[in-house]
Amino acid sequence: MEWSWSDSVLSNRERVMEELIQGRELASQLSTAYDNRSVVNGDDEGSAEGFVNTLLILNGKESDQEFVSDQIQGNSSGVSGVSGGGGGGSGVSDDGSVVSGGGADLSSWDANHDHAAAIKSEDYTEEEISCKSTSTFKDRRGSYKRRKTTHSWTRDTPGLIDDGHAWRKYGHKVIHNAKHPRNYFRCTYKFDQGCKATKHVQQVQDHPSVLRTTYYGTHTCIDYFKTSDLVLDCTNLRDSSMFISFDNANCLTNKQEDPFFASFASSSVKEELIVKATSDHTLTSHDNHWLPSDYLVSHDDLMAFKSSGPVSGFSSSIEQYDGDDDVFSRIIAELI
DNA sequence: TAGATTTGACCGGT
DNA sequence: ACCGGTCAAATCTA
């Protein structure tokens, strides 16, 4: 079969862009719906962030299949790993937005990332991990290659948020000319599963209540606890074959306190939303771009939103995604 | 007692 | 030489 990935992407780019923009709007509306239900207060814009990142990706190297795959994986991490959500209740600004660059610039990819160099850097990290079993590991403490070229993105939040991943703090550093120290986190499953994701969290100097999180690398781990949550939340396993993550659209459970909060004696709410679409299409659980660490909103919940709040356009959109012309399945099929 | 956090040391990049 | 990122022993906590 003759199939050109880049041609396909290019020819479908406009459609993909439209769908993602639409999805962004839907995510915002969904977030608003949740706020209206007084379940959890949060960051309206955060739910759209994943789409923003996706748009950035698609505007970039859409012709490089491997690159995009990697970026999608990275974005998946961003979607599930970059949490939105406000710092809970009164700590969030009225409009729910985070104090950042404003507009769609809530998160940003490092424009200078060099994929090859990033791989080299991360390979080195793997070597370091493997060295753990050797007697020389202790002597190489602190040996690493700076992730300067690893793709990264930042996010400002009006408080500490739980981004749906398990993080373990490994460092705390006073930064030169910075008013506040920087906290370093790595994925809890770094050694168990070789997950290379890390993040830095630091209070914004001009806005001490705003935390700036910089994410590095992508999550390749599977959080089995979260996965089991998915199963537990599933009232109908047959409906669980497809998940669409809208990046922490402010919902549901208070699952894990971000370790960074320990430094600020505050509380946080882990918010992440998965819209579970009942569909015959299969995006299986083998695809860890989508599954780890996401929560579920059942179709019943979505229907409840339809009747509970001013979410014009939402219901029809849900039906759209639920219909035969499954947009997201097409997007995924085209991009992977 | 296992896992998480703290904190000083170490090392690479600039 | 300085700064920032990471390591790992010590300590804390559930």
Side-chain angles (χ1 to χ4, degrees):
Chain A
M1 178 189 292
E2 291 293 323
W3 185 83
S4 170
W5 188 89
S6 57
D7 287 346
S8 175
V9 170
L10 290 173
S11 65
N12 290 294
R13 179 179 169 182
E14 281 192 16
R15 189 179 62 187
V16 170
M17 296 286 277
E18 284 181 17
E19 299 295 356
L20 290 173
I21 290 170
Q22 184 178 28
R24 182 184 189 277
E25 291 300 319
L26 293 173
S28 293
Q29 291 174 15
L30 183 60
S31 176
T32 301
Y34 252 112
D35 285 345
N36 289 340
R37 295 182 80 203
S38 300
V39 175
V40 169
N41 290 331
D43 174 12
D44 290 348
E45 297 294 335
S47 59
E49 182 171 352
F51 289 99
V52 174
N53 286 341
T54 305
L55 293 175
L56 291 172
I57 292 165
L58 291 173
N59 276 323
K61 296 191 175 185
E62 68 271 20
S63 62
D64 183 340
Q65 181 175 359
E66 183 178 350
F67 178 85
V68 173
S69 297
D70 181 52
Q71 293 300 293
I72 289 171
Q73 183 177 355
N75 191 46
S76 174
S77 174
V79 167
S80 61
V82 180
S83 162
S90 58
V92 185
S93 59
D94 290 339
D95 62 2
S97 63
V98 294
V99 181
S100 181
D105 195 25
L106 291 171
S107 64
S108 59
W109 287 92
D110 182 348
N112 297 320
H113 63 265
D114 177 336
H115 188 53
I119 291 173
K120 182 179 179 181
S121 175
E122 296 195 352
D123 285 345
Y124 183 86
T125 301
E126 281 187 345
E127 291 174 8
E128 286 304 306
I129 293 170
S130 67
C131 285
K132 198 176 185 65
S133 60
T134 72
S135 60
T136 60
F137 183 82
K138 183 177 180 180
D139 295 335
R140 300 184 64 183
R141 183 169 71 169
S143 177
Y144 70 102
K145 284 190 176 178
R146 192 169 293 178
R147 297 169 177 267
K148 183 181 178 183
T149 57
T150 302
H151 49 266
S152 66
W153 62 100
T154 62
R155 167 145 204 184
D156 291 352
T157 57
L160 189 59
I161 49 84
D162 187 344
D163 56 21
H165 284 282
W167 297 99
R168 181 168 174 175
K169 186 176 179 178
Y170 66 85
H172 178 96
K173 195 84 171 179
V174 175
I175 303 301
H176 189 62
N177 289 334
K179 195 174 180 178
H180 306 285
R182 180 177 295 167
N183 293 269
Y184 298 88
F185 298 89
R186 63 166 173 80
C187 180
T188 297
Y189 307 108
K190 177 179 179 177
F191 298 118
D192 291 346
Q193 301 180 33
C195 184
K196 297 163 184 168
T198 63
K199 70 174 181 180
H200 307 164
V201 183
Q202 188 174 13
Q203 287 177 277
V204 176
Q205 196 152 347
D206 295 335
H207 301 89
S209 63
V210 177
L211 301 179
R212 176 162 295 165
T213 304
T214 304
Y215 293 87
Y216 298 90
T218 60
H219 279 278
T220 58
C221 61
I222 297 175
D223 188 331
Y224 294 106
F225 291 102
K226 295 276 178 60
T227 302
S228 64
D229 286 347
L230 291 176
V231 174
L232 291 173
D233 285 347
C234 249
T235 55
N236 183 349
L237 292 176
R238 290 174 300 178
D239 291 342
S240 64
S241 59
M242 179 175 179
F243 302 100
I244 300 172
S245 176
F246 281 135
D247 177 34
N248 57 276
N250 316 317
C251 73
L252 304 192
T253 48
N254 190 355
K255 306 254 317 186
Q256 178 192 13
E257 189 169 354
D258 192 301
F260 182 67
F261 258 168
S263 301
F264 293 91
S266 183
S267 62
S268 73
V269 176
K270 163 176 290 187
E271 296 119 11
E272 201 158 336
L273 171 66
I274 284 249
V275 174
K276 182 183 69 176
T278 54
S279 170
D280 291 333
H281 302 279
T282 55
L283 180 62
T284 70
S285 60
H286 301 297
D287 188 340
N288 64 5
H289 294 171
W290 295 94
L291 274 187
S293 71
D294 284 320
Y295 302 116
L296 286 176
V297 172
S298 69
H299 190 271
D300 289 341
D301 287 336
L302 294 176
M303 294 304 103
F305 294 160
K306 291 171 61 177
S307 59
S308 65
V311 285
S312 60
F314 181 73
S315 60
S316 62
S317 299
I318 289 296
E319 289 166 0
Q320 175 185 347
Y321 289 118
D322 209 12
D324 292 333
D325 188 17
D326 189 320
V327 173
F328 278 87
S329 292
R330 293 204 320 268
I331 295 171
I332 298 305
E334 291 166 358
L335 293 180
I336 294 177

